[in-house]
Amino acid sequence: MNPQTYARLYGAPRPAPGGRATGVAVVAGVVWGVVVLVLHGFGLLAFVMLAGGESAGELLVRAAPAGVPAVALPAVVACTPAVRRLTVPGRFLVTGLVALPVFLGLALWALASG
């Protein structure tokens, strides 16, 4: 697009802000790293249960009542207007802070009940 046309339509070009949320991004990465490790533990638990002879249908029936709300809660929080106004690293941090206790609680529950 012609720079003069762009300036008339949208105003003067402004550089995107950057570099200010690096600490937030690092913390969000650490939080989501822990969440992913917990999710890998759930995958390992499911694999062990399937290898031990439990059918996939029974595993789905047992895991779905706990898994669906656990996944839905961070997704609902990420879609709220207050979170959508945050920067991208801020969104990841907030949803990670919501997902972390949910998945850690499920992991402890699975460990205690199994």
Side-chain angles (χ1 to χ4, degrees):
M1 179 181 277
N2 187 349
Q4 289 82 18
T5 306
Y6 182 89
R8 266 186 277 140
L9 289 174
Y10 304 111
R14 293 176 300 212
R20 293 188 312 228
T22 306
V24 174
V26 169
V27 173
V30 168
V31 168
W32 274 105
V34 173
V35 171
V36 167
L37 285 174
V38 171
L39 290 176
H40 282 298
F42 281 132
L44 179 66
L45 178 65
F47 179 72
V48 167
M49 289 176 73
L50 288 174
E54 182 152 350
S55 72
E58 290 177 18
L59 181 62
L60 183 62
V61 168
R62 290 176 59 189
V68 170
V71 171
L73 182 64
V76 167
V77 168
C79 292
T80 59
V83 173
R84 290 182 58 89
R85 283 192 290 268
L86 295 173
T87 62
V88 174
R91 287 182 213 167
F92 276 105
L93 180 60
V94 169
T95 55
L97 289 175
V98 168
L100 184 62
V102 171
F103 287 118
L104 278 177
L106 280 175
L108 291 174
W109 175 69
L111 197 67
S113 68

